[in-house]
Amino acid sequence: IAKGVGKAFQVMSSNMDDAITRLDTMNNFPNVMKNLGISAEDSQKAIDKMSEKLQNLPTTLDAGARAVQRFTSKNEDVAKSTDMFLAINNALLAGGASAEMQASALEQISQAYAKGKPDMIEWRSMLSAMPAQANQLGKAFGMSADELGEALRQGDISMDQFMDKVMELNEKGIDGFDT
């Protein structure tokens, strides 16, 4: 009984810690955006758009807020960063990988975007989480997914070009692929 009660308290404590982290992220989002030169109105629009688009999806709003913060720190455009996150999130969800793999891939893509190009580990994480979507992206660039990864790593295709193509594929499809 004591072990069961102890285990229950551990689970509750872990869930409480996660909830506090989510709350902290959401409460800090407007402040982080303000520090990046983004207005409170634009910050709220980003949160509202993510809230609407993430309804009935397994992705949490705080995960979206963290990704948008990272993207915006690089491109200084919260609206574009929100669209980038939503497009990447849709591609990751379509990939059908576990939630843990999707979260890892989102983190790796965010890091690659911040640096300007992915390393092999970041690229492989994305490939593992969304293999068919990586193939579609490669075809949209006129190459295979492996060639796309190499072009990104070499800087022949920028992360901005890559993210623009992800958003384009997400919104209207490319080369015969549906959205």
Side-chain angles (χ1 to χ4, degrees), residues 3 13 19 28 30 39 43 46 53 62 65 68-69 81 93 109-111 113 130 133 135 141-142 167-168 171:
K3 284 183 183 181
S13 176
N28 288 331
S39 72
S43 297
K53 298 289 185 178
D62 65 303
V68 169
Q69 286 173 1
S81 295
L93 290 171
I109 292 167
S110 298
Q111 289 175 10
Y113 184 74
M130 50 185 242
Q133 293 69 28
N135 286 336
F141 278 103
M167 290 186 296
E168 184 180 345
E171 291 178 20

Side-chain angles (χ1 to χ4, degrees), residues 41-81:
E41 181 182 330
D42 288 343
S43 297
Q44 189 59 51
K45 285 180 186 176
I47 291 295
D48 292 345
K49 185 172 188 174
M50 284 188 289
S51 294
E52 176 190 333
K53 298 289 185 178
L54 294 176
Q55 277 187 345
N56 302 317
L57 296 178
T59 310
T60 62
L61 184 57
D62 65 303
R66 285 191 304 272
V68 169
Q69 286 173 1
R70 285 188 225 109
F71 295 150
T72 305
S73 70
K74 171 88 172 47
N75 66 24
E76 300 176 353
D77 185 341
V78 71
K80 181 177 182 178
S81 295

